[in-house]
């Protein structure tokens, strides 16, 4: 007798539960293959939601998501599409898959080959292997586009849990790659530990390729509109690409847009299903209710008579929009404003940002702009700002050979009502090296 949707879901959860209780992978795979012809992506995410709601920590889901993917590998059903725009050069999905093809070649043809030579005792290729691992570091741009752009649209449609899980694995891969490079660069590198580290890293990367192409992409193709993909394609150039030259600029064809209009009811149904399968997994803390902001009479200054649409009037002067934009672009700091509802509302566009920002983050919950392992820290800062427990939070980190200073400030109006948070990020490497004096008068004869 054919199972109902609910019965299918319950059985998938039972099979996955065996793994989390220490069961045998091969047995779980056998049970699934024996009982199911295939599985939809939404059934996988719904099962993971049920496990989390039963008390399993999200971090445990992350740890075992490779095993989940392996259980279902080869059995994930294709979902009907209205068109094949994603196969066109320049479409974000085409670009992602092209990068993955080059990435797979780097893993298998280049790095595996060099590891085979070292296994035979030929350490003369060590520098070449270090260079290949440096090339592998381009993964950061591949993952950054996914995390900054694709994840933000997934969240827009209520698909909250998969981005958190995948971002956590992305960060694990970044850390493993860093550790592998540091180990190889050391004087005591030996083949066996090197081989073990490489095998673990390669497996994680290849599993992420599978998860991107067989889980994330089908889900997003079902839910995202062509206009969403156009915006993702446009913003991708702000972050950059990995392993390949810049792709062609892509726009949806008129034929594709017409077909999309025909399948809009199916897309809306897919969005609803996505929301149902991920609701509540990554629910944040309640914001404690809204605070009414009183209206205060401001002193009237002469320049406040300005009425042109391109003029901004401040209590201390006026600026044209063009001037204001130039100021933000010139300041040697990156500014990001998060409103009282904890959503990103503005960021400055300096000539060289420390961290990438794209317009797709506007309106996004700020905690979702951070890796899962730091979400609780960001939330704690915002909660403290809101309660008045603190007014600032400072951090400094090393990125390559640069010292980065990150500061958070609570923003309040004159009545002390909390309005949001300002993040200020600055590369202070050169500032730290300043010695002596360089006075204005010293420049008189320059």
């Amino acid at each position: 007798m054919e199972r109902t949707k609910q019965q299918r879901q319950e059985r998938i959860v039972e099979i996955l539960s065996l793994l989390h209780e220490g069961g045998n992978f091969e047995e779980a795979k056998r049970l699934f293959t024996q009982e199911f012809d295939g599985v939809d992506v939404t059934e996988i995410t719904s099962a993971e939601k049920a496990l989390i709601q039963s008390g399993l920590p999200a971090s445990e889901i992350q740890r075992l998501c490779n095993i989940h993917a392996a259980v279902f590998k080869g059995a994930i059903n294709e979902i009907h599409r209205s068109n094949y725009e994603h196969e066109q050069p320049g479409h974000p999905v085409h670009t992602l898959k092209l990068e993955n093809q080059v990435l797979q070649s780097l893993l298998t043809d280049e790095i595996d080959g060099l590891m085979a030579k070292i296994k035979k005792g030929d350490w003369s290729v060590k520098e070449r292997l270090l260079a290949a691992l440096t090339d592998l570091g381009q993964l950061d741009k591949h993952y950054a586009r996914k995390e900054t752009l694709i994840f933000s649209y997934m969240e827009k449609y209520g698909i909250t849990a998969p981005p958190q899980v995948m971002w956590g694995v992305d960060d694990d891969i970044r850390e493993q790659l860093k550790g592998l490079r540091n180990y190889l660069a050391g004087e005591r590198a030996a083949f066996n530990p090197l081989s073990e580290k490489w095998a673990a890293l390669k497996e994680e990367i290849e599993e992420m390729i599978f998860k991107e192409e067989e889980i994330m992409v089908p889900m997003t193709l079902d839910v995202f509109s062509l206009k969403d993909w156009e915006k993702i394609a446009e913003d991708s150039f702000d972050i950059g690409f990995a392993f390949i030259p810049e792709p062609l600029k892509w726009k949806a064809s008129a034929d594709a847009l017409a077909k999309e209009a025909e399948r809009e009811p199916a897309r809306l149904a897919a969005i609803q299903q996505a929301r149902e399968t991920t609701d509540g997994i990554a629910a944040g803390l309640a914001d404690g209710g809204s605070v009414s902001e009183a209206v205060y009479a401001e002193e009237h200054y002469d320049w406040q008579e300005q009425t042109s649409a391109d003029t901004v009037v401040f209590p201390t002067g006026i600026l044209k929009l063009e001037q204001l934009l130039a100021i933000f672009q010139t300041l040697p700091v990156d500014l990001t404003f998060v409103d009282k509802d904890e959503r990103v509302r503005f960021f400055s566009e300096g000539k060289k940002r420390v961290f990438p920002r794209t317009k797709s983050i506007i309106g996004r919950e700020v905690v979702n702009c951070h890796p899962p392992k730091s979400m609780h820290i960001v939330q704690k800062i915002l909660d403290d700002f809101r309660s008045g427990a603190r007014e600032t939070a400072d951090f400094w980190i090393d990125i390559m050979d640069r010292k980065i200073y990150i500061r958070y400030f609570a923003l309040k109006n004159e009545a002390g009502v909390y309005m949001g948070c300002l993040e200020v990020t600055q590369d202070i490497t050169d500032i730290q090296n300043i010695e002596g004096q360089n006075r204005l008068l010293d420049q008189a004869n320059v």
Side-chain angles (χ1 to χ4, degrees), residues 380-399:
K380 180 64 165 60
I381 291 171
L382 294 173
D383 290 344
D384 286 350
F385 283 179
R386 186 183 301 279
S387 69
R390 55 176 163 171
E391 301 291 327
T392 64
D394 293 5
F395 304 91
W396 46 95
I397 60 176
D398 294 325
I399 298 181

Side-chain angles (χ1 to χ4, degrees), residues 270-298:
I271 292 170
Q272 182 60 35
Q273 184 178 17
R275 287 175 175 164
E276 289 174 356
T277 57
T278 58
D279 265 355
I281 297 179
L285 299 173
D287 67 6
S290 59
V291 180
S292 298
E293 295 188 19
V295 178
Y296 298 93
E298 298 178 353

